[in-house]
């Protein structure tokens, strides 16, 4: 039963619950008109303490397409946070008005604090370098729709594996499926954190290798998941400038990949995928952004208990 639950990290949902959400998302894709009024009378609040395009707009579009309404801020200085109000008091207050709250915050754990005081479901829309569970739902629905399932996949994760919360969440979620292999492609300064290595990979006996170059491994991959080097998480500009263009996926590298490999990216991209790759049918990152809206529609319906 998903009604009334929070979504703070991907493991809050069992494999069976994920399937329920994906089944509903696929049903909405097939018959959108049947769901166009299901959330009438419900209000979604978006509390974004950090910039966003996809997550905020896709949640807002999702609620509006379901017949619900939306309130919120994308700039916390326009709320009483600017006067020193705490996260807990802000969330507690908004939960008096809204039926469901989506929250992004630069501090790890902030949505969990919100969930402790909220009267309505809280969805973590990204907390610092920690987790981004609805991006994981987006990624998993994309993989299910385009690769037919989650087992027996070799997935290359490339770029900023240290700060990339989408990568941490996705690895955690995929580690529950059969015969997954991760190939971790990053500069040595941006390798996965030790806690992911211990608690996700080693604990679940997941196969993985770590390499420095895309060209060495791209031919082995079912999925290449590119990520941006995240300027906002660096402590000094010099390190960011040195590492930001470390990986650039272009048509030359794509020519080494299999015909059925797909390229995913949570977006926004900066330089890590050359624009020329966008026309390659294996580049699915904009499709992925669209799946994100459908999976958020399904999630809203489930947490509100409307199906
Ligand atoms: N993928 C993602 O979280 O994008 P935004 O930062 O634009 O929401």
């Amino acid at each position: 039963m998903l009604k009334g639950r929070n979504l703070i990290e991907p493991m809050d949902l069992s494999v069976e619950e994920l399937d329920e959400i994906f089944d509903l998302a696929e049903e909405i894709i097939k018959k959108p008109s049947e769901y166009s009024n299901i959330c009438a009378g419900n209000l979604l609040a978006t509390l974004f303490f950090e910039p966003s395009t996809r997550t905020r707009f896709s949640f807002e579009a999702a609620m509006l397409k379901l017949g619900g309404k939306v309130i919120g801020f994308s700039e916390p200085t326009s709320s009483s946070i600017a006067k020193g109000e705490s996260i807990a008091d802000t969330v507690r207050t908004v939960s008096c008005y809204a039926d469901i709250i989506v929250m992004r915050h630069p501090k790890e754990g902030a949505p969990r604090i919100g969930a402790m005081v909220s009267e309505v479901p809280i969805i973590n829309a990204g907390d610092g370098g920690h987790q981004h569970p609805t991006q994981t739902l987006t990624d998993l629905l994309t993989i299910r729709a385009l690769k037919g399932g989650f087992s027996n996949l070799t997935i290359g994760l490339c770029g900023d594996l240290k700060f990339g919360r989408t990568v941490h969440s996705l690895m955690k979620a995929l580690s529950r499926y059969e015969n997954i292999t991760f190939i971790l492609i990053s500069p040595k300064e941006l390798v996965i954190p030790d806690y992911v290595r211990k608690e996700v990979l080693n604990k679940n006996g997941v196969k993985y290798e770590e390499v420095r170059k895309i060209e060495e491994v791209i031919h082995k991959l079912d999925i290449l998941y590119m990520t941006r080097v995240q300027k906002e998480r660096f402590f000094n500009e010099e390190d960011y400038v040195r590492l930001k263009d470390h990986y650039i996926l272009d048509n030359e590298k794509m020519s080494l990949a299999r015909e059925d490999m797909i390229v995913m990216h949570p977006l926004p991209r900066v330089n890590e995928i050359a624009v020329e790759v966008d026309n390659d049918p294996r580049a699915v990152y904009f499709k992925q952004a669209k799946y994100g809206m459908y999976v958020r529609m399904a999630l809203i319906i489930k947490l509100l208990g409307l199906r």
Side-chain angles (χ1 to χ4, degrees), residues 58-186:
S58 65
F59 263 115
E60 294 186 358
M63 191 53 157
L64 294 171
K65 280 173 184 267
L66 295 169
K69 291 200 163 64
V70 176
I71 54 172
F73 58 73
S74 56
E75 182 43 76
T77 50
S78 66
S79 75
S80 286
I81 300 285
K83 301 176 203 160
E85 188 166 42
S86 67
I87 295 166
D89 285 1
T90 303
V91 172
R92 193 167 190 162
T93 304
V94 175
S95 79
C96 298
Y97 314 136
D99 301 289
I100 186 161
I101 296 174
V102 181
M103 178 178 174
R104 171 173 286 188
H105 201 283
K107 285 210 179 100
E108 283 86 355
R112 197 175 288 288
I113 290 171
M116 287 160 75
V117 296
S118 176
E119 292 178 19
V120 300
I122 296 279
I123 300 172
N124 177 6
D127 59 330
H130 193 215
Q131 301 286 337
H132 191 351
T134 65
Q135 182 63 47
T136 306
L137 296 186
T138 300
D139 298 342
L140 292 178
L141 178 62
T142 307
I143 294 171
R144 184 170 118 151
L146 302 181
K147 300 302 284 181
F150 306 114
S151 302
N152 308 314
L153 292 173
T154 299
I155 300 144
L157 300 156
C158 178
D160 181 355
L161 308 187
K162 180 177 180 182
F163 297 112
R165 60 191 172 198
T166 62
V167 168
H168 305 159
S169 291
L170 183 60
M171 289 173 81
K172 220 172 182 180
L174 282 173
S175 67
R176 294 192 284 192
Y177 296 94
E178 298 263 304
N179 196 25
I180 290 288
T181 304
F182 291 119
I183 301 189
L184 307 173
I185 310 159
S186 73

Side-chain angles (χ1 to χ4, degrees), residues 171-236:
M171 289 173 81
K172 220 172 182 180
L174 282 173
S175 67
R176 294 192 284 192
Y177 296 94
E178 298 263 304
N179 196 25
I180 290 288
T181 304
F182 291 119
I183 301 189
L184 307 173
I185 310 159
S186 73
K188 66 180 185 327
E189 294 87 343
L190 296 176
V191 296
I192 50 159
D194 273 346
Y195 86 89
V196 177
R197 200 182 303 273
K198 282 187 198 139
E199 291 168 27
V200 179
L201 298 175
N202 297 345
K203 193 171 157 190
N204 296 305
V206 179
K207 286 175 280 177
Y208 72 98
E209 61 178 293
E210 295 186 88
V211 299
R212 303 279 170 252
K213 288 192 169 168
I214 298 178
E215 305 86 292
E216 282 173 29
V217 292
I218 194 168
H219 62 282
K220 299 188 204 174
L221 304 177
D222 297 298
I223 298 169
L224 174 58
Y225 192 96
M226 296 294 294
T227 62
R228 170 177 69 97
V229 174
Q230 302 188 58
K231 188 177 183 184
E232 63 275 29
R233 313 262 177 248
F234 274 78
F235 295 112
N236 73 67

Side-chain angles (χ1 to χ4, degrees), residues 274-304:
V275 173
E276 64 183 18
V277 176
D278 296 358
N279 294 327
D280 189 309
R282 294 170 292 182
V284 302
Y285 25 91
F286 290 106
K287 255 186 210 169
Q288 185 183 348
K290 194 158 186 176
Y291 281 121
M293 180 185 72
Y294 288 117
V295 87
R296 289 175 176 114
M297 289 168 90
L299 180 67
I300 291 169
I301 292 172
K302 288 286 179 187
L303 297 187
L304 289 176

